[in-house]
Amino acid sequence: MADITVEKLTESRKQDLDLTLLTTNSDGLKKIINNPELHRPGLALTGFYERFASKRVQILGETEATYLSQLSEDRLKKISRKMFDYGLPLVIITKGIAPPAGFIEAADLSGTCVFSSKLTTAELTTKLSAYLDHLFAPSIMVHGSLMDVYGVGLLYTGKSGIGKSEIALDLVERGHRLVADDVVKITRAAPDVLLGNSSELLGHHMEIRGIGIIDIEELFGIRAIRLQKRIEVEVNLTLWSETEEYERLGLEDKKTKVLGVEIPIVRVPISPGKNITVISEVIAMNHMQKVYGENAALEFTKKLSQTLSRQSVTKDYLESDFE
Amino acid sequence: MIKRTAIVTNRLGLHARPAALLVTTATKFESQFFISKDSIRVNGKSIMGVMMLAAEMGTELILEVDGPDEIEAMAEILKIIESGFEEST
């Protein structure tokens, strides 16, 4: 969660949303937006303030603007003042419409910014909503590495020093792409979508024990990196242990929850001489196959059951044959 | 689990060398070690993670150590941070 000031939001989205500031009181630029939702104050303008979502960014479309313009000066002043008294964070009027002077006066008096946007209400709502949703999406930092292997986002987790960076390096060498190493920022972009990227400072740097810090983009070029990737499978690396039991069939997908989103988790034991790179590629391909509706483990066990039942039919036939 | 706070006291802040010193010290112990600055929490055994904090002089760090040797680990870690990462200023 990151609250944003009106100034930062309108500066960074100025071109995209085609914004022009209509008010002169600069206090409004310092106001903080802490709600990703938008509100159209149609009913509030008519004087109905029950359930008025005043903490949200207010969007005035052509309908609201037309309503305001046909009001008497007195009524406009009264209504505008009442609305701005709620301490609105920001007001945007669409289609480049200039609101009546009394409305702007009331905004300046209360220290609220009013912007005009050349976009239509639908365009503005879509763009601003997407931006605010992304900004307010829950996110966490995770210790691990994120790789794009054949287009599947694999998140490597495991204890420090287990070799996550080395596996990532090996995968890069085989033509796969690094998203982030050591610190992965995960954002819940949609109710069931996790996006991972690197922190601005770390970029595509990596620490390899014995060598130090290296820059993957410098060493391997642009083909070896990716800025952002949907996380599809977690690969949890553990030291191989005699007493631990590992998955042998893969009939059921083990799941883990990250920010409330369920993703499959594969636990891979590590032991000297084991080629995790190839295993990683197999995990990615296996995941893709499941996405396309093929499940190798399930198909194989089906075949086995068929063979078993066929054998017993033959056996029954031979046993009951007295010719 | 032990939780302590510490302030970065050396002039240059938690730059590469102090980060390396802190991480190598933490790695000697079996216990898990996490450092937080504001809302960012990273693994204290990961040098990239520690450097990502970009903690300048005066920053308050929250240290969490959890494991069988947490008492010794926390003592060593605190000693290093409080000594200004063994840097002269």
Side-chain angles (χ1 to χ4, degrees):
Chain A
M1 284 281 238
D3 293 351
I4 188 169
T5 59
V6 169
E7 187 168 24
K8 221 171 148 196
L9 173 78
T10 51
E11 270 304 309
S12 62
R13 297 284 98 189
K14 200 179 171 89
Q15 283 193 323
D16 190 32
L17 302 178
D18 212 335
L19 297 171
T20 323
L21 181 60
L22 301 177
T23 44
T24 43
N25 190 342
S26 62
D27 286 356
L29 290 170
K30 290 184 194 74
K31 282 198 176 177
I32 284 167
I33 298 163
N34 52 20
N35 193 318
E37 282 167 275
L38 308 176
H39 183 68
R40 290 192 66 177
L43 278 177
L45 292 176
T46 67
F48 184 74
Y49 282 95
E50 235 168 273
R51 306 187 63 83
F52 175 44
S54 61
K55 298 279 179 292
R56 301 181 191 172
V57 174
Q58 307 291 321
I59 309 291
L60 269 69
E62 212 170 7
T63 326
E64 288 88 346
T66 315
Y67 176 76
L68 288 176
S69 65
Q70 52 88 48
L71 291 174
S72 71
E73 213 164 291
D74 256 16
R75 181 106 180 101
L76 173 78
K77 199 169 163 185
K78 219 175 129 200
I79 279 183
S80 309
R81 285 206 177 162
K82 173 126 199 221
M83 191 174 81
F84 282 110
D85 271 351
Y86 274 81
L88 312 174
L90 168 67
V91 176
I92 303 176
I93 301 174
T94 59
K95 280 198 172 172
I97 300 166
F103 186 77
I104 300 294
E105 269 168 36
D108 267 330
L109 204 67
S110 72
T112 310
C113 284
V114 177
F115 280 82
S116 123
S117 164
K118 296 224 167 57
L119 304 183
T120 64
T121 311
E123 283 172 334
L124 181 90
T125 317
T126 314
K127 282 189 171 182
L128 188 57
S129 265
Y131 179 77
L132 289 176
D133 275 346
H134 184 76
L135 195 74
F136 287 100
S139 72
I140 44 159
M141 298 273 193
V142 162
H143 178 63
S145 303
L146 180 58
M147 291 293 304
D148 171 347
V149 179
Y150 296 132
V152 178
L154 298 184
L155 175 71
Y156 291 89
T157 56
K159 271 194 176 172
S160 183
I162 201 152
K164 296 182 291 291
S165 300
E166 286 75 5
I167 291 166
L169 187 61
D170 220 11
L171 284 165
V172 163
E173 173 67 28
R174 286 175 69 103
H176 303 292
R177 299 161 81 187
L178 172 77
V179 186
D181 188 55
D182 248 0
V183 183
V184 184
K185 188 181 172 211
I186 304 178
T187 312
R188 194 176 71 204
D192 56 350
V193 177
L194 295 172
L195 275 186
N197 58 299
S198 182
S199 79
E200 225 168 279
L201 181 64
L202 295 188
H204 293 90
H205 287 85
M206 190 185 256
E207 186 232 353
I208 298 291
R209 302 282 193 292
I211 302 176
I213 297 164
I214 56 171
D215 183 348
I216 295 300
E217 190 181 352
E218 284 281 313
L219 285 176
F220 294 89
I222 197 82
R223 65 151 185 96
I225 59 152
R226 218 187 137 136
L227 291 177
Q228 183 169 290
K229 178 77 193 88
R230 178 173 176 179
I231 300 171
E232 284 156 295
V233 183
E234 177 177 340
V235 181
N236 182 245
L237 305 168
T238 48
L239 275 180
W240 200 83
S241 136
E242 290 276 354
T243 51
E244 197 89 20
E245 277 180 28
Y246 298 104
E247 183 60 50
R248 304 298 292 266
L249 292 174
L251 278 176
E252 287 149 39
D253 273 344
K254 296 244 164 27
K255 301 274 189 184
T256 183
K257 262 193 180 173
V258 182
L259 289 171
V261 180
E262 229 176 36
I263 54 165
I265 180 170
V266 183
R267 282 183 63 224
V268 182
I270 295 211
S271 55
K274 199 159 185 178
N275 192 336
I276 300 295
T277 319
V278 177
I279 292 178
S280 298
E281 289 177 342
V282 170
I283 291 172
M285 290 190 284
N286 216 13
H287 176 74
M288 270 198 287
Q289 272 203 318
K290 280 179 192 168
V291 170
Y292 286 120
E294 300 261 345
N295 187 329
L298 215 61
E299 294 297 322
F300 181 80
T301 46
K302 246 192 237 161
K303 206 169 154 189
L304 178 65
S305 311
Q306 274 170 6
T307 311
L308 290 175
S309 65
R310 208 180 305 135
Q311 271 172 356
S312 72
V313 171
T314 320
K315 203 168 143 240
D316 283 352
Y317 174 76
L318 289 175
E319 274 175 2
S320 56
D321 189 14
F322 297 104
E323 199 179 358
Chain B
M1 208 261 285
I2 327 177
K3 200 168 171 180
R4 294 275 183 282
T5 56
I7 308 262
V8 178
T9 55
N10 62 320
R11 195 170 48 83
L12 296 172
L14 196 44
H15 64 99
R17 261 169 229 292
L21 181 68
L22 189 65
V23 168
T24 27
T25 310
T27 313
K28 283 194 292 188
F29 297 95
E30 208 188 307
S31 298
Q32 287 195 305
F33 173 39
F34 290 95
I35 312 182
S36 321
K37 175 196 153 189
D38 303 328
S39 62
I40 313 170
R41 183 171 180 266
V42 298
N43 191 318
K45 292 186 180 183
S46 145
I47 185 149
M48 302 302 274
V50 172
M51 285 196 294
M52 200 207 71
L53 292 175
E56 70 270 15
M57 188 168 104
T59 306
E60 189 184 81
L61 301 172
I62 296 162
L63 316 169
E64 291 164 67
V65 182
D66 189 13
D69 49 8
E70 55 188 32
I71 295 169
E72 299 89 324
M74 184 59 99
E76 279 262 334
I77 290 163
L78 278 175
K79 204 171 87 189
I80 283 181
I81 299 177
E82 276 157 11
S83 74
F85 304 100
E86 300 170 5
E87 291 193 332
S88 47
T89 44

